[in-house]
Amino acid sequence: MTGLTSRFARLSATAACAVDRAMAEPARYCAGDADAVTLPGVFHEAYAEIDVAERGAVAATRPVLFVHGPLPEGAAPGDRVEVAGRAWRVAGIRPDGHGGRRLDLHRLDDPTQGPPADPGAWPV
């Protein structure tokens, strides 16, 4: 089974590189008070997430940024990202299981606007 797992990991990494080459756009990521760094990511403003529970399905859409490379040191929810000509706050960072990260984003109307005092106040 190990051979199959490592083959899948290699194929997954190859696919991620192909997606980045075809679809990635530059995003400026600012972790805390550090200087912003530019990294490639695949931005999707209407990412759909479906939760199938015992009694039915619930779907929600949210803007996300998929990053297959490393994030800046200290990256955490509340950081600022500029992508697609808009400013966003990172509401959550989730590993994708293949070495990448999915950043759930919250649009900021005012680029200087900070995160809410209560992290639980982020929209889901």
Side-chain angles (χ1 to χ4, degrees):
M1 191 71 142
T2 304
L4 182 60
T5 302
S6 62
R7 183 173 182 216
F8 178 76
R10 284 192 311 273
L11 290 172
S12 178
T14 301
C17 287
V19 168
D20 280 348
R21 278 193 305 273
M23 300 175 64
E25 58 187 289
R28 290 181 38 86
Y29 192 106
C30 186
D33 293 331
D35 291 335
V37 297
T38 301
L39 49 88
V42 177
F43 176 72
H44 194 327
E45 193 163 6
Y47 175 77
E49 185 170 292
I50 300 172
D51 181 16
V52 180
E54 290 181 22
R55 298 180 187 232
V58 177
T61 59
R62 70 181 68 192
V64 296
L65 180 67
F66 295 96
V67 179
H68 293 112
L71 293 176
E73 186 173 331
D79 290 344
R80 184 171 170 207
V81 176
E82 293 175 10
V83 65
R86 295 188 209 125
W88 309 86
R89 283 281 173 202
V90 177
I93 300 173
R94 301 176 190 207
D96 69 0
H98 303 285
R101 308 281 183 282
R102 182 183 94 193
L103 281 58
D104 296 325
L105 303 176
H106 172 73
R107 183 171 178 184
L108 298 176
D109 294 324
D110 175 2
T112 62
Q113 178 182 355
D118 174 14
W122 287 111
V124 291

